[in-house]
């Protein structure tokens, strides 16, 4: 499995993620400028040796802001995906294991969540709550639960009646022990794929919300917010929109590369079979795509 | 076939009901008082009370919910807090513009996506496939708002070929940049699934049978391979078109396209809740209906799905 996972794309994605993570984490220690440090005498300077990505209208170092913004984006992405994972695990396990009314209720809720275009639902939520990082994570997580829940439910249905599970049940294992020890481990690999693929999309969604002014609030730097702030200067200082977008795209691309590689390595079925199954049988295995955030 | 369609239509009724309920609830939990947002800084208690009664905000939640259901059933989406205009009227005015943009983007995406994917699947050299997969992965990874800005920078500001933004009465010059921007991710996804669909279908038993029967290349491609490769393409067209029809908030914002997406953003900035609520509801309902059409079209394309009853 490991050998198949390490295609050239996956390797490039992993390398990219390592570089981005290192840069983002070390930014504070290495860079001479802070992300909020203003110097109006040095505003709107093009990229140079002193400021690799140039400076913005307030004379702040764009590189420092891009890296600190990345820290926020990555953290929000991870926390939001974890929230989606926990919600999806709980709901999907309940639906798949107990079946009946619980199942019907959870799946109808998932249908309703899927009925909203992702970005629209996020915008509606962020428009009514008090903006803040936790609200942002909660909203992004709440939107992602349904796909996870469908996946977990499908996996549980597939293994629930297997012989080893029945054997464990006959040996007197309780619900919790059955679920945690015998059923959930079987769902791990597809969950990892969905988690990773969703990370790219979550980061894109966060950037989109911040771009619209509904995500990370200024003066805290964020990729989406920086791009929006650079629009009035597009003719005179294009680096303000160029660099944050470039790093943002590279990050999403890296997550998608890794996610794609993991999926091919862990799922023997062809992409067509998977898509057909995901759609027709509704088992939620359809690949996560970024198409919803337009 | 009729039974298949009827069953599919029945399944969306509870979903639409859920959508109405969620839209109502989201708008009820807002922490700020919409009436205070409405009157602004200067107000007196009498005005506040009058507005509350007028808007029905003094009634209990359950009563408001039933009122809301009744009004939605009559297609009455209320009036804008800001302009006093019926929300349904604003939506009716903006929807054709959004539909024009969505339709053009989808057309570009399907034509070029299927073409690129089909060509790449015929390529003898393994690198044609890899190259396409690489390019398309970048395509789905670029955030649409940044791509739009890059295109504006290049084609409008640098080269001066096209207007940077605006609607221009829907003329082609104004349509090109936003439509291409919006089409990009769909085009990339369509190219990916078309290629793998062609490759998979070519290896299927029924294709080998068709060849063995002595059918020509054209017939096999048109009748057997294309049909099978089409299903995932239809999935993408359906979900993406469904969400584009509801207004591409980001694309419409950066290009100043006066459609539904921009209406939603503007209403959020003005905290004009009836408009947000109405537009979100309209969009989600449309999304559900387009997805229903996609489900039904599976049955038309692939008889196996129809006879199996279609599953979930």
């Amino acid at each position: 499995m490991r050998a198949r996972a390490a295609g050239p794309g996956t390797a490039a994605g992993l390398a990219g993620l390592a570089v981005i993570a290192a840069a983002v984490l070390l930014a504070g220690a290495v860079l001479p400028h802070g992300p909020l440090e203003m110097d109006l005498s040095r505003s709107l300077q093009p990229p140079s040796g002193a400021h690799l990505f140039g400076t913005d209208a307030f004379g702040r170092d764009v590189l420092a802001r891009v890296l600190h913004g990345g820290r926020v984006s990555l953290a929000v992405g991870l926390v939001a995906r974890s929230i989606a994972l926990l919600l999806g695990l709980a709901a999907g396990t309940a639906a798949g294991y107990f079946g009946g009314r619980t199942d019907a209720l959870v799946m109808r809720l998932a249908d309703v969540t899927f009925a909203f275009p992702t970005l629209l639902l996020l915008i509606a939520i962020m428009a009514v709550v008090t903006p803040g990082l936790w609200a942002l994570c909660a909203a992004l997580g709440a939107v992602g639960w349904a796909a996870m829940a469908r996946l977990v439910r499908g996996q549980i249905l597939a293994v629930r009646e297997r012989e080893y599970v029945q054997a464990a049940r006959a040996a007197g294992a309780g619900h919790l022990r059955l679920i945690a020890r015998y059923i959930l481990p079987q769902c791990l690999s597809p969950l990892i794929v969905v988690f990773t693929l969703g990370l790219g999309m979550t980061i894109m969604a966060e950037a989109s919300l911040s771009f619209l002014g509904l995500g990370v609030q200024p003066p805290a730097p964020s990729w989406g917010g920086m791009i929006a702030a650079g629009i009035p200067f597009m003719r005179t200082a294009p680096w303000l929109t160029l660099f944050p977008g470039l790093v943002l795209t590279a990050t999403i691309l890296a997550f998608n590369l890794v996610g794609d590689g993991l999926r091919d390595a862990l799922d023997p079925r062809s992409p067509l079979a998977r898509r057909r199954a995901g759609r027709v049988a509704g088992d939620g295995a359809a690949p996560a795509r970024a198409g919803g955030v337009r | 076939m009729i039974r298949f369609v009827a069953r599919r239509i029945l399944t969306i009724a509870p979903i639409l009901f859920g959508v109405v309920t969620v839209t109502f609830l989201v708008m009820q939990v807002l922490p700020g008082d919409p009436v205070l947002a409405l009157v602004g800084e200067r107000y007196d208690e009498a005005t506040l009370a009058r507005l509350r009664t007028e808007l029905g905000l003094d009634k209990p939640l359950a009563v408001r919910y039933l009122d809301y259901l009744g009004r939605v059933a009559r297609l009455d989406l209320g009036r804008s807090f800001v302009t006093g205009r019926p929300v349904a009227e604003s939506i009716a005015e903006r929807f054709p513009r959004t539909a024009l943009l969505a339709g053009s983007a989808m057309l570009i995406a399907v034509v070029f996506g299927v073409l690129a994917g089909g060509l790449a699947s015929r390529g003898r050299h393994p690198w044609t496939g890899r190259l396409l997969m690489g390019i398309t992965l970048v395509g789905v990874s670029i955030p649409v708002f940044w791509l739009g800005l890059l295109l504006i920078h290049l084609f409008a500001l640098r080269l001066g070929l096209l207007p940077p933004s605006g609607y221009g009465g829907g003329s082609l010059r104004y349509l090109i940049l936003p439509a291409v921007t919006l089409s990009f991710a769909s085009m990339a996804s369509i190219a990916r699934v078309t290629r793998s669909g062609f490759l998979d279908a070519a290896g299927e038993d029924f294709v080998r049978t068709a060849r063995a029967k002595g059918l020509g290349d054209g017939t096999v491609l048109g009748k057997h391979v294309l049909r099978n490769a089409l299903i995932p393409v239809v999935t993408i067209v359906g979900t993406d078109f469904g969400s584009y029809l509801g207004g591409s908030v980001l694309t419409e914002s950066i290009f100043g396209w006066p459609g539904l997406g921009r209406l939603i953003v503007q209403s959020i900035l003005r905290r004009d809740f009836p408009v947000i609520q109405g537009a979100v509801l309209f969009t989600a309902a449309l999304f559900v209906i387009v997805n229903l059409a996609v489900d039904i079209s599976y049955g038309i394309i692939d008889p196996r799905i129809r006879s199996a009853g279609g599953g979930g």
Side-chain angles (χ1 to χ4, degrees), chain B residues 249-272:
Chain B
V249 178
L250 295 164
T251 311
E252 288 186 6
S253 291
I254 51 174
F255 287 101
W257 191 264
L260 276 180
R262 233 174 113 65
L263 178 69
I264 293 174
V265 172
Q266 285 167 342
S267 322
I268 286 173
L269 295 178
R270 297 185 202 147
R271 300 186 79 71
D272 193 348

Side-chain angles (χ1 to χ4, degrees), chain A residues 115 123 128 241 260 272 279 289, chain B residues 31 146 189 192 268 287 298:
Chain A
I123 288 176
V128 298
T241 43
D260 262 17
L272 176 71
R279 186 71 205 182
R289 295 191 314 113
Chain B
W146 190 60
S189 311
R192 281 169 87 83
I268 286 173
F287 191 58
Y298 288 139

Side-chain angles (χ1 to χ4, degrees), chain B residues 144-217:
Chain B
V144 70
F145 57 93
W146 190 60
L147 175 68
L149 291 175
L150 286 185
L151 294 181
I152 291 176
H153 186 80
L154 184 64
F155 290 100
L157 300 185
R158 277 283 151 89
L159 300 175
L161 290 174
L162 294 163
S165 72
Y167 175 59
S171 68
L172 191 63
R173 271 167 52 77
Y174 283 86
L175 181 60
I176 292 176
L177 279 186
V180 168
T181 304
L182 185 57
S183 75
F184 215 70
S186 304
M187 186 163 41
S189 311
I190 289 174
R192 281 169 87 83
V193 298
T194 304
R195 175 175 170 271
S196 51
F198 269 50
L199 291 177
D200 282 1
E204 296 255 17
D205 287 344
F206 55 78
V207 171
R208 217 177 322 144
T209 312
R211 283 234 164 78
K213 274 196 302 190
L215 294 181
D217 251 9

Side-chain angles (χ1 to χ4, degrees), chain A residues 8 13 76 80 93 96 131 154 167 186 234 259-261:
Chain A
V76 167
T93 308
Q186 299 297 317
M234 265 200 352
D260 262 17

Side-chain angles (χ1 to χ4, degrees), chain B residues 193-308:
Chain B
V193 298
T194 304
R195 175 175 170 271
S196 51
F198 269 50
L199 291 177
D200 282 1
E204 296 255 17
D205 287 344
F206 55 78
V207 171
R208 217 177 322 144
T209 312
R211 283 234 164 78
K213 274 196 302 190
L215 294 181
D217 251 9
T219 319
V220 173
L221 190 72
K223 270 191 94 167
H224 299 277
V225 176
L226 196 61
R227 234 168 214 258
N228 273 276
L230 259 183
I231 288 193
V233 174
V234 170
T235 305
I236 294 180
V237 171
T239 44
D240 287 1
F241 192 51
S243 79
Y244 297 170
L245 274 183
S248 321
V249 178
L250 295 164
T251 311
E252 288 186 6
S253 291
I254 51 174
F255 287 101
W257 191 264
L260 276 180
R262 233 174 113 65
L263 178 69
I264 293 174
V265 172
Q266 285 167 342
S267 322
I268 286 173
L269 295 178
R270 297 185 202 147
R271 300 186 79 71
D272 193 348
F273 291 109
V275 182
I276 307 177
Q277 194 173 31
V280 168
L281 182 63
F282 175 80
T283 298
L286 206 63
F287 191 58
V288 171
I289 290 166
V290 172
N291 277 317
L292 170 76
V294 173
D295 267 357
I296 292 175
S297 68
Y298 288 139
I300 297 172
I301 297 172
D302 190 339
R304 284 173 301 187
I305 293 172
R306 200 171 12 187
S307 58

Side-chain angles (χ1 to χ4, degrees), chain A residues 3-184:
Chain A
R4 273 196 295 157
T10 319
L14 283 174
L17 282 184
V19 170
I20 292 163
V24 159
L25 290 175
L26 296 175
V30 175
L31 289 179
H33 311 279
L36 301 177
E37 240 175 77
M38 294 198 236
D39 181 358
L40 289 174
S41 68
R42 305 176 65 83
S43 75
L44 294 178
Q45 293 202 341
S48 67
H51 300 278
L52 281 178
F53 284 7
T55 61
D56 71 3
F58 299 100
R60 295 176 295 197
D61 184 49
V62 174
L63 177 61
R65 289 182 66 73
V66 165
L67 292 182
H68 282 269
R71 198 180 286 188
V72 176
S73 279
L74 291 180
V76 167
L78 281 172
V79 173
R81 284 314 279 168
S82 306
I83 293 175
L85 180 70
L86 288 178
L87 289 176
L89 258 182
T93 308
Y97 188 81
F98 296 108
R101 281 205 188 152
T102 320
D103 186 26
L105 180 70
V106 170
M107 287 300 105
R108 288 300 83 73
L109 274 177
D111 285 344
V112 172
T113 311
F114 274 120
F116 289 92
T118 311
L119 185 63
L120 192 74
L121 188 54
L122 281 170
I123 288 176
I125 297 174
M126 293 311 292
V128 298
V129 300
T130 327
L133 283 184
W134 285 110
L136 189 59
C137 291
L140 288 165
V143 169
W145 79 275
M148 293 272 194
R150 277 193 183 178
L151 178 75
V152 172
R153 170 182 176 269
Q155 295 287 320
I156 288 187
L157 286 182
V159 299
R160 192 175 59 175
E161 301 304 331
R162 292 256 174 93
E163 282 169 359
Y164 70 88
V165 178
Q166 289 184 338
R169 189 177 292 139
H175 289 317
L176 268 182
R177 186 173 160 77
L178 267 182
I179 292 172
R181 180 97 173 73
Y182 296 97
I183 296 183
L184 280 186

